[in-house]
Amino acid sequence: MTTAAGHRDITGGEALVAALAAHGAHLAFGIPGTHNLEIYRHLAAYGIRHLAPRHEQGAGYAADGYARATGRPGIAITTTGPALMNIAAAVGQAYSDSVPLLVVSPGMPLRHPRLATGLLHEMPSQSGAFGQLTAFSHRVSSVAEIGAAVARAFTRFRTGRPRPVHIEVPLDLLTAAEPAGPPPLAPLPLPVRPPPEAVRAAAEALGRARRPALVLGGGAHGARAEALTLAERLGAPVATTANGKGAFPESHPLSLGVRLHTPAVQKWLADSDAVLAVGTELAESDLWSAAPEIGGTLIRADIDPAQMYAVLPADIALVADAREALRGVLDGLRGLPGGPREGRAGQAGSAGAAAAVRAESGAATGERDAARLPYLAAIRSALPPATVLTSDSAQCCYYGALPHLPVDPPGRYLHPTGFGTLGYALPAAIGVKAAEPERPVVALSGDGGLQFTVQELATAAGLGLPLPVVVFDNGGYGEIRDEMAARGDVPVAVDHPPLDLGALARAYGGHGVHADSPDALAEALRTALTVPGPTVITVPEPR
């Protein structure tokens, strides 16, 4: 029925899907369940494709990978109770790494009593639980409110720091038909520009600096061109955080890569007379230690005002979109009398200084990392420049690929940083591949981390698209094993019996090979990029 005001009777499930489609959603990840079938009924009619991982945690990581690679919010659909709890780890990771992830789920009926009744999937408060993991959890109270809740979520994604959001639709509203109008749309915000006086102060501090430094975090990916121009104009070496990897070309002579955790890079920061940190928390998960001393002026550019007084308070605060902040600084430098001074002894001297810091940083960890380096070089040699790499919270990734596998734009490297979850790499790679089927995507993991979500090999096989999965196998949880040994403890519950991961991949419908040398790894990777389905490539790692 359609009213004179343009409202028509529509179920909550259709209202939800219509609102998602109106905001440009065209792919969702999730698993059907008894309580969410009314959502699934309408997806195809509204042009939303669906991919079904084998576990809700995998759905969350896939939506996260999709969001990081495309810049669009990732959509995940769960049912009530245990399904929603299954995705919680992925939501926590998205919150930690500032990823726009929208989780939609049914909830208990509108008038469900507060006392437990034994209804299927019943729990005291889904919205209360997810309110602690997200920017907000919105439990709607009518069909008409569903569109507003979705618009609120997309407004949150488009303004300020991205965070995950949860929308709960009571299960009786999903099937109830109520009058509702066209879904409201989240406004397209204007770019957030920094205050002119702060831009002038930042430009002056950087322009007179003899030892300028740039630190780029995940929030700097939208300002890659500006960051490159600024670094070259200042002659400033550039370090990135784990989430910032790929925001600055790591083949550039001014790049220090992902080495904020090394004493050499922390000393470089302390010795710099002006440090510009863009889109980063300067967090312990990037530094692997307490925040270093900053000897000079600290300029922070971030969309999140809270970062201006968190961890290392800003001397000059540029609360703005990263691109607008860097454009403002570049304009300010052009207006300085005589133009900006180049850091140290000009471009050549700055590149030499960066090379010296890189060499010192590498020497400090050379013995630990030496065995992985030939394999990482083999990976790099086999991959096209635009490849997206996803990684796990594994030794081969944070000791290996993050600092030692260079990535240049338009390539990307997606890593679960702050929350430090395991099992991210494979489903995140699936999310990227589902969004961009023609783009090369490679997952990097350890044998322990892969087994958290190894069932998603079936999902990857179902896609029928090439997806190499490189697994450094050290027979268990290598990092925890090493930490136990360092404490003088007898290792407990960290050693896994041998497992033929290649055979497991074949059982799921993929391929599996063992690479016992760097040359074999490079050849296996090149082949895996051409054959349909996932290819698990195991690499032996010393224990």
Side-chain angles (χ1 to χ4, degrees), residues 238-242 245 250 255-269 286-288 354 357-363 365 369 373 398-406:
V238 179
T240 68
T241 67
K245 187 176 176 72
E250 292 186 303
S255 172
L256 300 179
V258 184
R259 291 184 171 90
L260 282 170
H261 58 283
T262 63
V265 173
Q266 294 193 7
K267 183 178 184 300
W268 162 74
L269 281 177
D286 290 305
L287 300 164
W288 300 6
V357 175
R358 285 197 304 271
E360 185 181 352
S361 171
T365 59
D369 301 338
L373 295 184
Y398 47 74
Y399 292 146
L402 274 173
H404 299 300
L405 201 164

Side-chain angles (χ1 to χ4, degrees), residues 10 92 143 162 167 201 203 209 241 291 314 347 350 478 541:
I10 185 173
V143 171
I167 295 175
T241 67
Q347 289 288 349
S350 299
E541 191 168 44

Side-chain angles (χ1 to χ4, degrees), residues 84-401:
L84 189 60
M85 293 299 100
N86 282 345
I87 206 172
V91 173
Q93 190 63 61
Y95 189 95
S96 175
D97 289 351
S98 302
V99 177
L101 172 64
L102 175 57
V103 177
V104 296
S105 76
M108 291 296 101
L110 267 179
R111 294 180 176 81
H112 188 67
R114 291 192 177 274
L115 294 176
T117 65
L119 189 67
L120 179 67
H121 300 333
E122 183 181 58
M123 59 179 288
S125 175
Q126 292 185 161
S127 190
F130 268 65
Q132 303 300 311
L133 292 172
T134 58
F136 62 81
S137 177
H138 188 143
R139 176 177 163 90
V140 302
S141 58
S142 69
V143 171
E145 189 185 349
I146 293 172
V150 172
R152 180 188 176 199
F154 278 82
T155 299
R156 183 65 177 79
F157 297 147
R158 294 171 180 174
T159 56
R161 184 177 183 178
R163 297 288 203 190
V165 168
H166 171 232
I167 295 175
E168 176 179 299
V169 182
L171 60 92
D172 50 344
L173 281 185
L174 280 177
T175 55
E178 296 181 4
L185 295 178
L188 295 175
L190 294 173
V192 179
R193 295 186 170 90
E197 62 276 11
V199 170
R200 283 194 297 271
E204 289 171 1
L206 291 167
R208 66 173 176 262
R210 305 302 301 181
R211 298 180 304 279
L214 267 63
V215 179
L216 305 180
H221 279 287
R224 295 174 184 174
E226 291 79 6
L228 177 59
T229 300
L230 181 59
E232 292 181 339
R233 183 163 298 169
L234 294 171
V238 179
T240 68
T241 67
N243 283 341
K245 187 176 176 72
F248 190 83
E250 292 186 303
S251 62
H252 196 284
L254 290 172
S255 172
L256 300 179
V258 184
R259 291 184 171 90
L260 282 170
H261 58 283
T262 63
V265 173
Q266 294 193 7
K267 183 178 184 300
W268 162 74
L269 281 177
D271 290 344
S272 298
D273 48 2
V275 177
L276 172 58
V278 183
T280 172
E281 294 176 311
L282 294 173
E284 188 269 347
S285 53
D286 290 305
L287 300 164
W288 300 6
S289 65
E293 294 291 332
I294 303 293
T297 301
L298 176 59
I299 306 159
R300 299 192 67 162
D302 206 291
I303 198 70
D304 183 358
Q307 293 307 310
M308 299 308 160
Y309 47 81
V311 187
L312 289 173
D315 297 308
I316 300 173
L318 302 177
V319 179
D321 171 82
R323 179 178 293 175
E324 294 298 322
L326 296 191
R327 285 177 175 174
V329 170
L330 285 166
D331 287 343
L333 288 171
R334 280 189 286 268
L336 292 177
R341 299 186 183 95
E342 286 188 327
R344 298 193 184 265
Q347 289 288 349
S350 299
V357 175
R358 285 197 304 271
E360 185 181 352
S361 171
T365 59
E367 183 178 352
R368 183 195 65 197
D369 301 338
R372 298 186 182 96
L373 295 184
Y375 289 94
L376 295 169
I379 291 171
R380 180 67 279 167
S381 72
L383 299 183
T387 300
V388 176
L389 294 127
T390 65
S391 80
D392 247 320
S393 187
Q395 289 181 316
C396 60
C397 297
Y398 47 74
Y399 292 146

Side-chain angles (χ1 to χ4, degrees), residues 481 483-492:
R481 182 192 297 129
E483 290 181 14
M484 286 179 170
R487 289 165 49 92
D489 297 343
V490 176
V492 177

